[in-house]
Amino acid sequence: MTTHYFLQLVISGLVIGSIYSAVALGFVIIYKATRVVNFAQGELLMVGAYVCYSFLVQMHVPFWAALCLTIGFSVLLALIIERLILRPMIGEPVISIIMVTIGLSLVLRSIVAAVWGTDILIYEPKLFPQETIGIGGVPVSLEFVWCFVLSILLLALFSAFFKFSKSGVAMRAAAFNQQAAQSMGISVKFIFGLSWVISAVISGIGGVLIGNINGINTSLYHFGLKVFPATILGGLDSILGAALGGLIIGILENLSDGFFKSYFDLSGVKEVAPYIILVVILMIKPYGLFGTKEIERV
Amino acid sequence: MHFCGDFRTTYEKDIEILQTPTVRLGVAACLAFLVVFPYLVKGEYLWVGLQILIAVIGAVGLNILTGYTGMISLGQGAFFGVGAYTTAYMTTKLGLSFWVGVPAAGLVTAAAGMVFGIPSLRLKGLYLAIATLASQFILEWVFLRWEPVTGGSFGIVVPRPSIGGYVFESDRSFYYLVLAITVVMVLFAVNIVRTRTGRAFMAIRDHYISAEIMGINLFRYRILSFGISSFYAGVAGALLGHSLKFVTSEQFNIELSVAYLAMIIIGGLGSILGAIYGAIFMILLPKVLTVLTTKLTMLIPGAAGLAIAMEQGVFGLIIIFFLIFEPDGLAHRWKMIKAYWKLYPFSY
């Protein structure tokens, strides 16, 4: 494996990894605040990508307006989901909550397939410039750079939101102890809604970014499944962990794929590598790099 | 129904599986119906009955793991695949008979399940669910890539079983074979959950630390639960392979795992009867939906693509509705209905 090839793998891994980070961040926000394991995170990304496509290509809205409309749509969708489906499930066992989000993912997937069909769709006009630049002697498409920069920006923005804004602090308080937060005057219902909204918006923007690069089709929800390796690696309730976990999984899956392809002539390792990493982490360090260790007493 | 004065006065009476004449009559009627079923219907409907029987085996197995031991598994579909490929490999490549292939499929899958169950030593709840999800994807990948054994994306053609020159070629004869295996497997499960092992599973589900203090070896029983559950999945997968006469990797995807989890949740966690209800419901549902969509397409010709896309969505919606409005499952609802009618109209 040449250094050139290696660098290429790392860079494309970083770009995909940054999208994983965004989706993982959305997953962690919901998990942290509401203890809901969202198996429909990838579908939120997919819906965002398709809605933006509709505004941009079918209705010829300028990009910035299409993005705003997409965000608005994601907000609405998240509120509806939270109110109608997840609110009645509060207090139910983990298995029911997992199942209800799986049901939700099936519904969202079928709606997308019914409205937009299953063919691949391409964003037109392209949002980012198509030229390539050289980074360390490796040609990199400028849209990759843009995608990476924007998702890192997104991550930084929301990290700052949690650290400094009033709602962000309230969300952290509710995640820490719901009853205490409620008695301090924080509306836990509002926090639950807000966490779904933020999560859907981040995933939706992630969908728009990936749609710009690769085009969109109904298998876009696979991004949601990569969330599990990323968040388990980083720790299920850690925002920093989600961001780092996504990037690491993105790079590792690309590197292992390249490695097995060049030395063992085995293709398709990419699909399975994140899950093997996932099992290994679970065996060695179940709470990930930054996750809170649960302590149980009888 | 328990009538007044229906007391159990001996230990033998207390450990009977079917305790009252009504229950005995009901079960006998069900079995009689299952025996004459192939002569009442034909073609498509018989095929649905066959699939329900196979699903019952898989769902009962998963309920032992998830419902009784409290460990969520999103990998049941892949374990089906392990069973199907094992019997396919043994009957076609090694030339062994069905009667060796199916038990071997169960044992190989049990071994695979135990290996993938090792993380359960440290993990539980959500983390374990994610670990089993990973095992689903890893196994799916192996099915597709390990071409010498699995035939890769081409799959393997599997024969129907035969005994002493008689081939179970027709669906009807194969139905009886599957029915016999299903009855044995269900009876075995009913008995397992009444033994020391079953009580240990339930103790682990209810509180694993307390169970350990009571002297239950957590590691042993968790792995055992994975093994039993996977054995059921393996046998069901093997039968599925022989009934379809064809095994490919797409049959054993994550959607199959989700369907089985949905079966036991809709039927009722921690109840053998619930697993049976769930299996019937979840196999019939897509068939009913397909019939409805074909009717709809006949009415509105342009809606074919839309209807097919919405089929999966309706499936998802029904799962959501069940979880919100009937969280304890069909078995619980059935119990409530029975309790209501037991003393009707003087319920107090």
Side-chain angles (χ1 to χ4, degrees):
Chain A
M1 204 189 288
T2 58
T3 334
H4 184 262
Y5 185 43
F6 180 81
L7 269 178
Q8 216 167 8
L9 287 175
V10 170
I11 289 171
S12 60
L14 267 178
V15 176
I16 293 297
S18 63
I19 302 287
Y20 291 165
S21 295
V23 186
L25 181 66
F27 177 88
V28 165
I29 288 169
I30 291 181
Y31 181 73
K32 208 170 150 76
T34 67
R35 296 284 139 179
V36 166
V37 188
N38 188 11
F39 273 74
Q41 200 69 42
E43 279 74 9
L44 292 177
L45 172 135
M46 182 166 82
V47 170
Y50 271 98
V51 169
C52 187
Y53 171 84
S54 270
F55 286 128
L56 196 66
V57 181
Q58 293 173 335
M59 299 179 204
H60 305 290
V61 178
F63 179 75
W64 59 269
L67 189 64
C68 290
L69 286 168
T70 308
I71 291 174
F73 183 88
S74 293
V75 169
L76 211 64
L77 179 70
L79 286 176
I80 293 171
I81 291 172
E82 198 275 329
R83 185 69 195 84
L84 290 184
I85 299 176
L86 273 309
R87 188 77 61 83
M89 297 301 292
I90 290 175
E92 295 283 338
V94 180
I95 182 169
S96 305
I97 290 177
I98 288 179
M99 208 60 222
V100 89
T101 56
I102 290 177
L104 175 67
S105 73
L106 293 177
V107 173
L108 288 178
R109 235 181 276 170
S110 83
I111 290 174
V112 166
V115 176
W116 286 280
T118 46
D119 299 331
I120 205 163
L121 303 171
I122 306 289
Y123 276 53
E124 212 99 45
K126 288 277 185 191
L127 169 60
F128 305 121
Q130 297 290 299
E131 298 96 68
T132 51
I133 53 166
I135 297 176
V138 182
V140 181
S141 164
L142 211 52
E143 54 181 5
F144 274 30
V145 179
W146 270 104
C147 176
F148 179 71
V149 170
L150 283 178
S151 26
I152 294 300
L153 208 66
L154 198 67
L155 290 174
L157 193 74
F158 280 101
S159 308
F161 170 80
F162 283 110
K163 203 110 201 144
F164 303 114
S165 81
K166 200 172 167 186
S167 307
V169 175
M171 280 179 80
R172 282 194 292 150
F176 190 67
N177 187 336
Q178 284 177 9
Q179 280 184 338
Q182 187 122 31
S183 60
M184 298 308 279
I186 295 167
S187 163
V188 174
K189 279 184 195 161
F190 172 76
I191 297 295
F192 278 24
L194 186 65
S195 53
W196 270 88
V197 164
I198 292 176
S199 169
V201 167
I202 296 176
S203 305
I205 296 174
V208 174
L209 289 178
I210 199 73
N212 256 298
I213 294 180
N214 288 344
I216 49 178
N217 67 349
T218 38
S219 62
L220 217 52
Y221 68 85
H222 283 296
F223 274 93
L225 297 171
K226 294 286 168 62
V227 149
F228 297 107
T231 45
I232 291 285
L233 175 61
L236 258 183
D237 52 1
S238 160
I239 286 174
L240 176 67
L244 275 181
L247 291 177
I248 294 173
I249 291 294
I251 295 171
L252 275 182
E253 74 169 17
N254 251 5
L255 280 184
S256 57
D257 195 52
F259 180 78
F260 278 98
K261 227 176 243 167
S262 42
Y263 290 112
F264 295 98
D265 197 27
L266 186 67
S267 61
V269 176
K270 204 175 197 163
E271 299 145 39
V272 78
Y275 300 105
I276 294 174
I277 298 167
L278 167 64
V279 173
V280 171
I281 300 161
L282 280 175
M283 302 277 244
I284 300 167
K285 203 167 163 29
Y287 296 101
L289 296 175
F290 305 103
T292 324
K293 215 173 156 160
E294 282 173 40
I295 297 167
E296 278 187 79
R297 298 187 176 87
V298 180
Chain B
M1 243 177 254
H2 282 276
F3 291 107
C4 205
D6 176 33
F7 300 117
R8 297 167 213 155
T9 44
T10 58
Y11 285 116
E12 286 75 30
K13 267 217 134 5
D14 196 43
I15 59 169
E16 274 180 347
I17 293 178
L18 309 170
Q19 289 187 330
T20 63
T22 330
V23 173
R24 259 169 258 158
L25 194 68
V27 170
C30 279
L31 280 179
F33 172 73
L34 286 174
V35 169
V36 296
F37 178 75
Y39 290 96
L40 302 176
V41 297
K42 54 180 186 277
E44 181 78 8
Y45 295 99
L46 181 60
W47 182 244
V48 172
L50 195 56
Q51 278 181 302
I52 288 177
L53 288 180
I54 293 170
V56 163
I57 300 178
V60 165
L62 184 61
N63 216 354
I64 289 176
L65 181 67
T66 303
Y68 283 98
T69 325
M71 299 192 286
I72 305 165
S73 171
L74 278 166
Q76 192 79 350
F79 292 135
F80 261 65
V82 175
Y85 276 116
T86 308
T87 185
Y89 184 77
M90 289 192 154
T91 49
T92 58
K93 304 262 169 75
L94 301 181
L96 295 167
S97 91
F98 169 86
W99 310 99
V100 180
V102 170
L107 293 176
V108 168
T109 315
M114 285 171 166
V115 169
F116 281 103
I118 290 174
S120 72
L121 178 62
R122 291 189 69 180
L123 309 171
K124 58 188 190 49
L126 169 62
Y127 285 87
L128 186 61
I130 294 175
T132 55
L133 183 73
S135 69
Q136 163 81 36
F137 288 121
I138 293 170
L139 283 173
E140 240 179 82
W141 188 81
V142 171
F143 295 156
L144 198 60
R145 304 279 163 176
W146 196 15
E147 275 171 31
V149 173
T150 65
S153 51
F154 297 109
I156 307 179
V157 177
V158 196
R160 281 281 167 91
S162 61
I163 183 166
Y166 177 75
V167 185
F168 292 85
E169 190 53 48
S170 70
D171 281 347
R172 187 179 287 169
S173 57
F174 192 66
Y175 170 91
Y176 284 115
L177 181 64
V178 174
L179 177 64
I181 295 174
T182 308
V183 169
V184 171
M185 298 288 273
V186 170
L187 207 60
F188 187 63
V190 169
N191 277 320
I192 272 187
V193 297
R194 301 177 336 137
T195 57
R196 179 189 167 82
T197 313
R199 285 195 300 276
F201 288 165
M202 284 183 265
I204 292 174
R205 173 192 67 190
D206 291 340
H207 204 300
Y208 76 104
I209 296 176
S210 309
E212 197 170 21
I213 292 168
M214 299 293 195
I216 291 168
N217 185 338
L218 283 188
F219 182 64
R220 190 177 143 198
Y221 280 105
R222 278 179 172 164
I223 295 291
L224 188 63
S225 181
F226 261 101
I228 293 173
S229 161
S230 309
F231 182 84
Y232 274 76
V235 170
L239 293 175
L240 190 67
H242 282 288
S243 73
L244 292 168
K245 303 185 199 169
F246 193 59
V247 178
T248 56
S249 61
E250 297 105 64
Q251 295 161 355
F252 310 108
N253 54 14
I254 177 78
E255 272 150 46
L256 190 67
S257 294
V258 169
Y260 275 87
L261 206 53
M263 272 178 207
I264 60 167
I265 291 177
I266 285 175
L269 287 171
S271 150
I272 300 290
L273 211 51
I276 297 173
Y277 294 150
I280 296 171
F281 184 86
M282 290 296 277
I283 296 291
L284 284 182
L285 180 67
K287 310 286 173 204
V288 174
L289 286 179
T290 314
V291 171
L292 285 181
T293 45
T294 23
K295 287 263 159 62
L296 192 72
T297 333
M298 276 195 271
L299 287 174
I300 318 159
L306 188 73
I308 290 163
M310 287 317 284
E311 217 176 284
Q312 203 186 22
V314 173
F315 186 67
L317 266 184
I318 286 174
I319 295 176
I320 294 173
F321 274 113
F322 252 93
L323 285 164
I324 293 176
F325 297 109
E326 197 73 65
D328 294 322
L330 291 169
H332 177 74
R333 175 57 51 192
W334 175 235
K335 224 181 246 175
M336 301 293 282
I337 292 171
K338 270 199 301 194
Y340 178 79
W341 286 104
K342 194 167 152 189
L343 296 170
Y344 182 84
F346 306 110
S347 54
Y348 294 105

